[in-house]
Amino acid sequence: MRHNKSFNHLGRQKAHRASLLANMTISLIFHKRIHTTLAKAKALRMYAEPLLNRAKEDTMANRRLVFSYLQNKEAVKILFQEIAEKIGNRPGGYTRILKTGNRLGDNAKTCFIELVDYNEAMLKDTKDVKTKTRRSRRSSKAAAAEAPAVENPVAEAAAEAPELPEAEK
């Protein structure tokens, strides 16, 4: 029975699954965005986010712990220098999953998983958008009641226009 065992085994033994997730995490650190299946991306998020959280505090113990999972010196170096600098003030949610549809061969759901602070297109869009304020129904009804109601704008425009003499019509 698998009571209260919530992670996806991905059809692999423990050693194969651990090396798969470690390799995918290394690729995510190097490339900042990878294309994979949705199941693997969700498993990768559970594996990589605690490691990214460790990188926020640069201590020898954290470096050794992350290295024990990844076994790649360059990835640990990039993680603690570049990535930790960008995610330093973020409280969590370091990765984003963007679904891309189904794969042609086996109809598996595919997606991109990326580091949130490295998608320049989305960062640019968030700066341009105004911050939304919270509205309630009551305030929108009150604003509608205060605004003058215009029933027929064409009739009002014709009423305001000067009338032409009979000879010009």
Side-chain angles (χ1 to χ4, degrees), residues 39-114:
K40 286 181 187 175
K42 288 180 178 180
L44 177 63
R45 176 190 283 173
M46 290 175 54
Y47 186 87
E49 291 217 1
L51 299 179
L52 294 168
N53 199 24
R54 288 272 181 188
K56 288 165 61 171
E57 186 180 350
D58 191 5
T59 62
M60 185 60 70
N62 284 345
R63 281 182 178 264
R64 285 179 175 167
L65 196 139
V66 170
F67 182 76
S68 73
Y69 283 93
L70 298 183
Q71 297 293 318
N72 188 316
K73 288 181 184 178
E74 291 81 21
V76 172
K77 186 185 204 181
I78 291 171
L79 178 63
F80 278 87
Q81 288 177 353
E82 294 176 20
I83 297 174
E85 183 179 305
K86 283 209 173 193
I87 65 172
N89 56 358
R90 181 178 286 276
Y94 310 113
T95 58
R96 175 186 299 125
I97 294 177
L98 302 168
K99 296 177 184 175
T100 58
N102 294 349
R103 194 162 49 197
L104 286 178
D106 58 355
N107 206 31
K109 294 179 180 175
T110 58
C111 65
F112 280 107
I113 182 167
E114 64 184 7

Side-chain angles (χ1 to χ4, degrees), residues 96-169:
R96 175 186 299 125
I97 294 177
L98 302 168
K99 296 177 184 175
T100 58
N102 294 349
R103 194 162 49 197
L104 286 178
D106 58 355
N107 206 31
K109 294 179 180 175
T110 58
C111 65
F112 280 107
I113 182 167
E114 64 184 7
L115 296 175
V116 171
D117 293 319
Y118 281 91
N119 190 341
E120 300 300 327
M122 286 195 147
L123 289 176
K124 182 175 55 174
D125 290 343
T126 58
K127 291 177 185 173
D128 294 341
V129 176
K130 286 176 56 175
T131 57
K132 293 185 179 181
T133 58
R134 190 171 183 180
R135 297 182 188 173
S136 67
R137 287 185 176 179
R138 173 173 266 162
S139 65
S140 64
K141 286 182 181 177
E146 291 174 8
V150 177
E151 293 178 8
N152 192 351
V154 176
E156 285 187 14
E160 292 175 5
E163 298 234 0
L164 296 174
E166 293 294 326
E168 294 179 1
K169 287 185 181 178

